[in-house]
Amino acid sequence: MKVSPGVRRALTLLLVAAAAWYLYDAIADNRQALVDFDWRVRPGLVAASVAAHVAVLAWGVWVWSRVLRFFEHPPVGLGMLLRIWFLSNLARYIPGKVFQFLAVAQLSRAAGLSGAVLLTSIVVHTGFALLSAMLISAWTLVGPSFPTLPAAWIGAAATVLAILFVHPRFLNAALGVLPRLLGREVIRWNGSWTDGIGVLALSVVSWAFYGVAYWMLLASLAAVPAREIAMLSGVNAFSFVAGYMAVVTPGGLGVREAAMTRLLLPLVPESVGAVLSVASRLWTIAAELVGGALTLLLVRRAVAHGAAVESS
């Protein structure tokens, strides 16, 4: 069923407003806990966490390059893929979606990537990211959040299902649905089952790295022990999934923060979790802007160097 733009905008506003009200209510109802909390702001660690986040995003682009290996296209260097990813994300902060689409299209043509290859590889990469996020959440969140459930069995079952889902038959069957949903051409995944398991493992490693960077952020604001890194990896991963599933909100705005606030309850009061979740959103924006700015600087230097070589 096709949703009209007006209805979609209304749903977006309602969902974002509901999530924002939940965060406001969590802070307002527990204001004293927020005031009494032992905040320990360390600017140096905040900066280090942003740098770590940029590195994690770059690692994710490298994982995307592994996905691209299993589609038919001319070789694309990691530097070009970093440009496509970071600059297209940077374009999101410029008003108007058209600029972002033009940036992606122009960079993709320069890399020799067709629209079908670009779309399909991003869809598959995102699928692996969501699947690995659910997998790491199953192993790290069930025990702390639901102590009465058999955590090891749930984690093992999630692992088996994830391995089955990356079978080429399943992946290509899922890709076969996309032309009807998106009205866009896609191409087949040419990797083997072992290749899919390998990319899944790399995606799990991505969330583990992400968990360390996320812990650095929280530890820069509050006394969060390093032994909680595994759980925080799951908190960050599941919050991403919750935000991504809220397709009518831009970047899962509000929904991701609400989910994170609830998941942080075993560690901090609800009002503190709400503040930390908002800080996490700002942290993500900062990492994308820093990564995009660095990429833009490198591109300009490369262009200037090329022009100097030609004129000499």
Side-chain angles (χ1 to χ4, degrees):
M1 183 179 69
K2 191 172 182 179
V3 179
S4 68
V7 172
R8 183 182 177 88
R9 282 194 293 270
L11 289 173
T12 299
L13 290 173
L14 285 173
L15 192 54
V16 172
W21 175 256
Y22 165 72
L23 293 172
Y24 168 79
D25 191 56
I27 293 173
D29 285 354
N30 301 276
R31 191 175 304 166
Q32 194 58 45
L34 189 63
V35 172
D36 294 339
F37 188 74
D38 184 19
W39 295 100
R40 301 181 182 182
V41 180
R42 291 182 277 179
L45 191 54
V46 172
S49 72
V50 173
H53 195 172
V54 173
V56 170
L57 295 177
W59 166 270
V61 176
W62 182 80
V63 176
W64 176 31
S65 74
R66 301 301 90 187
V67 173
L68 269 169
R69 292 172 61 192
F70 305 110
F71 295 102
E72 295 180 2
H73 67 91
V76 182
L78 180 60
M80 176 58 75
L81 293 179
L82 287 168
R83 273 182 260 173
I84 292 173
W85 197 93
F86 275 111
L87 294 183
S88 64
N89 274 283
L90 192 63
R92 287 191 304 159
Y93 299 99
I94 299 175
K97 292 280 188 181
V98 175
F99 186 84
Q100 183 182 1
F101 293 148
L102 289 176
V104 173
Q106 185 175 0
L107 290 167
S108 300
R109 284 195 296 270
L113 287 173
S114 69
V117 170
L118 183 69
L119 172 67
T120 310
S121 65
I122 289 176
V123 167
V124 172
H125 178 50
T126 302
F128 275 108
L130 292 170
L131 190 60
S132 58
M134 292 301 298
L135 179 56
I136 203 167
S137 299
W139 279 106
T140 61
L141 290 182
V142 173
S145 302
F146 307 97
T148 59
L149 296 179
W153 283 101
I154 291 175
T159 303
V160 172
L161 287 174
I163 290 173
L164 290 176
F165 286 160
V166 300
H167 191 281
R169 288 187 179 179
F170 180 87
L171 284 175
N172 284 311
L175 288 174
V177 177
L178 290 179
R180 296 195 295 272
L181 294 177
L182 303 178
R184 298 287 300 273
E185 177 191 3
V186 295
I187 57 178
R188 287 181 58 82
W189 158 271
N190 294 319
S192 66
W193 196 2
T194 304
D195 294 328
I197 293 172
V199 175
L200 178 65
L202 289 175
S203 297
V204 170
V205 172
S206 295
W207 286 114
F209 288 160
Y210 214 154
V212 174
Y214 178 60
W215 167 77
M216 290 173 65
L217 170 70
L218 299 193
S220 70
L221 302 173
V224 180
R227 66 174 178 271
E228 303 295 349
I229 288 177
M231 178 190 174
L232 291 173
S233 297
V235 169
N236 187 48
F238 193 83
S239 300
F240 169 83
V241 174
Y244 197 89
M245 292 297 102
V247 293
V248 297
T249 63
L253 183 64
V255 177
R256 178 181 173 184
E257 288 74 26
M260 188 176 292
T261 299
R262 296 294 297 176
L263 292 171
L264 285 173
L265 281 178
L267 298 179
V268 295
E270 190 174 30
S271 57
V272 175
V275 171
L276 292 176
S277 69
V278 173
S280 175
R281 170 69 68 173
L282 298 175
W283 173 66
T284 297
I285 293 172
E288 291 179 345
L289 290 175
V290 169
L294 289 174
T295 304
L296 192 59
L297 180 62
L298 292 174
V299 169
R300 287 181 175 177
R301 284 187 175 181
V303 171
H305 177 71
V309 171
E310 288 180 3
S311 63
S312 62

